[in-house]
Amino acid sequence: MTTIRVGHLYPDYLNIYADRGNIAVLARRAAARGHRLDVTELGMNDAIEPGMHDLYYVGGGQDREQLLVAENLAAKAEPLRDAVLAGGAALLAVCGGYQLLGRGYRGFHGEDMPGVGLLPLETVAGTKRMIGDVLLECELEPGVRHTLAGFENHAGRTRLDPGAEPLGRVVAGFGNDGESGYEGCRLGRAIGTYLHGPLLPRNPWLADWVLAQALAHRTGGEPPELAPLPDALEALAHRVSAARAKARGGRL
Ligand code: GLN
């Protein structure tokens, strides 16, 4: 049994659309493989200590909540970048959290929020919100393709730096900015995405990918192959969500 140490950033502020449900999925899927998730809440007064966590998780939030945490988070940019980029910890950031992991976010009312500068991107809010179901095609490992289904609701338009790797190609929905045809960002073991819903219950393959990255950080080895789980309900949720995205995703 391995204990996977999760640092959950600002759960009191960034938890729109029940994004903390992603943690529940990770805990259940870890337990089904005989591992344990040990979740520490990292709030305003908590320091980030590189090496202490195998996975960092940040949920989404409205501009208002983002404004409340942005400076506090940006002040912890260095240890967070050290932990992930140099130390190899995994990271999953959703929507408002995803935006703050880039260099910065300019909110709907022109508020400039500093970012962590961990993901190679910037975000500026537009006038129309991009709302609806999304379907992506992802290839996190060469030759291994999966679809990812979820729900997006954001005013922010995210621009990836040239050469940055998106999380996936948009099959239906808006994605990062409604134009590029890409969604999210992937940098090594770090993933940022606009997909809520929450993200992991209907995309178990991604939950397992994140778990495997966190286990690799914990053990110092390669990401392990995790034993498959039945996932019939998860597959159904994925199908329903993907069909909705194909039917009406990506319309303003
Ligand atoms: N406030 C951000 C935006 O509108 C993020 C919203 C969210 O987390 N759903 O772009």
Side-chain angles (χ1 to χ4, degrees):
M1 189 194 76
T2 304
T3 297
I4 303 166
R5 304 156 306 168
V6 180
H8 187 175
L9 285 149
Y10 311 104
D12 298 337
Y13 295 90
L14 300 177
N15 179 39
I16 204 167
Y17 299 122
D19 280 337
R20 64 159 53 98
N22 290 325
I23 301 275
V25 170
L26 292 171
R28 284 290 289 269
R29 299 186 75 83
R33 276 65 170 250
H35 303 306
R36 209 180 130 254
L37 220 63
D38 179 19
V39 183
T40 311
E41 301 197 346
L42 296 173
M44 296 282 189
N45 300 319
D46 301 310
I48 291 174
E49 291 175 49
M52 290 296 287
H53 295 102
D54 308 303
L55 166 67
Y56 291 92
Y57 177 70
V58 204
Q62 307 283 17
D63 286 16
R64 191 179 156 275
E65 282 77 37
Q66 289 176 275
L67 257 176
L68 294 173
V69 304
E71 286 210 4
N72 189 277
L73 177 61
K76 297 168 184 168
E78 212 177 297
L80 188 55
R81 286 199 308 252
D82 272 3
V84 176
L85 301 179
L91 177 138
L92 178 61
V94 176
C95 202
Y98 167 43
Q99 295 171 339
L100 294 180
L101 264 287
R103 281 190 297 277
Y105 171 48
R106 177 171 299 164
F108 187 74
H109 299 288
E111 320 88 323
D112 267 316
M113 304 177 214
V116 171
L118 192 156
L119 294 176
L121 53 92
E122 272 174 11
T123 306
V124 176
T127 45
K128 286 197 177 159
R129 297 193 74 78
M130 298 191 278
I131 306 174
D133 294 278
V134 201
L135 184 65
L136 311 180
E137 189 175 70
C138 306
E139 191 174 328
L140 296 183
E141 312 301 340
V144 186
R145 287 198 188 159
H146 290 283
T147 54
L148 199 64
F151 178 80
E152 62 184 329
N153 180 356
H154 52 108
R157 270 72 173 156
T158 296
R159 306 260 179 217
L160 301 188
D161 290 353
E165 186 187 341
L167 169 61
R169 187 178 66 78
V170 176
V171 177
F174 296 101
N176 278 335
D177 58 3
E179 292 172 4
S180 65
Y182 292 108
E183 203 289 320
C185 184
R186 185 262 175 111
L187 183 64
R189 291 183 180 151
I191 281 183
T193 177
Y194 274 113
L195 274 59
H196 298 274
L199 168 70
L200 298 181
R202 47 186 137 168
N203 297 294
W205 70 266
L206 184 63
D208 285 354
W209 185 88
V210 170
L211 277 178
Q213 307 306 309
L215 280 162
H217 178 264
R218 185 67 170 132
T219 60
E222 289 297 308
E225 271 304 320
L226 295 173
L229 299 176
D231 289 339
L233 209 55
E234 289 80 353
L236 181 62
H238 184 92
R239 273 206 301 281
V240 169
S241 188
R244 268 200 229 131
K246 281 188 188 151
R248 51 173 207 256
R251 285 194 211 134
L252 284 171

